[in-house]
Amino acid sequence: MKFTDRLRFAWLAIKGQTPGPEDDFWYEDVHALRGSLGLVGGSGGGMRQALRLDSVYACTSYLARTFGALSAKFYRRLPDGTKEEASRHSLYEVLHYQPNEINTAFEFRHREQVHLELAGNAYAEIVSGPRGPVDQLIPLDPARMTVARKPNGQIVYEYRRPDDSPRVYLPEELHRLHNLSLDGLSGLSTISVWSDVIGGALVLQDYANRFTRNDSRPSVILKFPQQLKHEQKEEQRKSWEAGQLGSNRGRAAVVDSGGDVVPISVSNKDAQFIEARQFTVPQIARIFGLPPTKIGWLEKSSYSNVEELNIATVIDAIFPRAVQREQAIRRDL
């Protein structure tokens, strides 16, 4: 059975369903798995499902915290070629401290980056007011936004409010960011494009949790040449546990009456399962453009290359995203 097929079989096992030999499961398209996990289209439910996976959460959280903490400052170029901070600029208060009545600048950028990384797009409505043409930036759910180009070439953003009433925005009414794009208008949803990888990793994680909860396999077996009565079995078991568990773990063991200790090792099947789970961590980190060390995967790291990986993170992951934000601010605000 192929690895992807085993993932689907495990997912059905989690739900308490084991397909028979004539079941349509064995003839279905393996990509149907992503629909069963809700990882379609970057919807709110799909984002929450994806964040259940520790590596997806770690990557998204790292990038969101990083850009939430970055200061958005403005500078004025002086005649002599130097610059000074323009703290009285109308946008300074909005972007540096308080984009709207509810969110701080950190909270706004944090949420914006989460939407960008998972859904592929981030939108905020531009509202004028006492602080100027851009008085507030109101976050919008990217799962409710559709981009369309009219026959006359006009681009419109059609938004479905929580009460299902429509709202149409023109480009100049929105502050917007998008991820990798095929049409230049909207970004591709990471969790949708990579739903097979993320869905497979979620299946492995859920299966591991279920296996741990239901695993009744002992670590050792105590074997005796003669048949023991129930009371004798309980006495030997309690004696072993008292001498080997907790703070006594690792002490020398003594088994009398000709007994023998047989350790239960990890089977080849379990070893492959563990290896498959470990493989998904660097794979998902690569999707987000981050070194696996940034999310706690240290298997191939050393003191000699950590500094290089930190530099690579800034150059390859942080800097391009920062340029994207800077240019979007200049375009929209």
Side-chain angles (χ1 to χ4, degrees), residues 149-160:
R149 188 188 296 271
K150 292 185 176 181
N152 63 359
Q154 174 67 56
I155 299 172
V156 295
Y157 294 79
E158 301 173 356
Y159 188 69
R160 179 171 51 84

Side-chain angles (χ1 to χ4, degrees), residues 222 224 226-239:
L222 303 180
F224 294 89
Q226 74 278 11
Q227 185 175 359
L228 302 180
K229 296 180 180 180
H230 177 73
E231 294 79 8
Q232 292 174 314
K233 291 180 181 179
E234 285 298 308
E235 181 180 351
Q236 291 290 346
R237 180 180 62 80
K238 291 179 180 179
S239 175

Side-chain angles (χ1 to χ4, degrees), residues 294-314:
K294 283 300 176 185
I295 58 172
W297 196 82
L298 306 175
E299 285 201 10
K300 296 185 179 181
S301 66
S302 64
Y303 288 108
S304 61
N305 68 0
V306 166
E307 183 178 2
E308 296 177 0
L309 292 173
N310 288 337
I311 295 173
T313 301
V314 174

Side-chain angles (χ1 to χ4, degrees), residues 94-95 99-100 103 105 107-109 111-113 115-116 121-128 133-143 145 157 159 167 169-178 325 328-329 331-333:
V94 176
L95 295 180
N100 56 62
N103 302 123
E107 294 167 345
F108 177 84
R109 288 192 295 268
R111 178 181 178 181
E112 190 175 46
Q113 199 66 37
H115 286 173
L116 183 62
N121 298 278
Y123 301 102
E125 180 183 356
I126 301 172
V127 179
S128 61
V134 183
D135 180 66
Q136 292 195 67
L137 295 173
I138 310 299
L140 300 174
D141 184 354
M145 186 74 76
Y157 294 79
Y159 188 69
R167 167 68 195 272
Y169 292 98
L170 297 177
E172 57 266 26
E173 297 177 293
L174 295 174
H175 175 47
R176 57 197 189 279
L177 299 166
H178 68 69
R325 283 178 169 273
I329 289 172
R331 178 196 61 200
D332 301 335
L333 307 181

Side-chain angles (χ1 to χ4, degrees), residues 236-257:
Q236 291 290 346
R237 180 180 62 80
K238 291 179 180 179
S239 175
W240 175 268
E241 291 176 348
Q244 294 297 313
L245 298 183
S247 60
N248 294 324
R249 184 178 180 86
R251 292 181 59 188
V254 178
V255 182
D256 55 8
S257 303

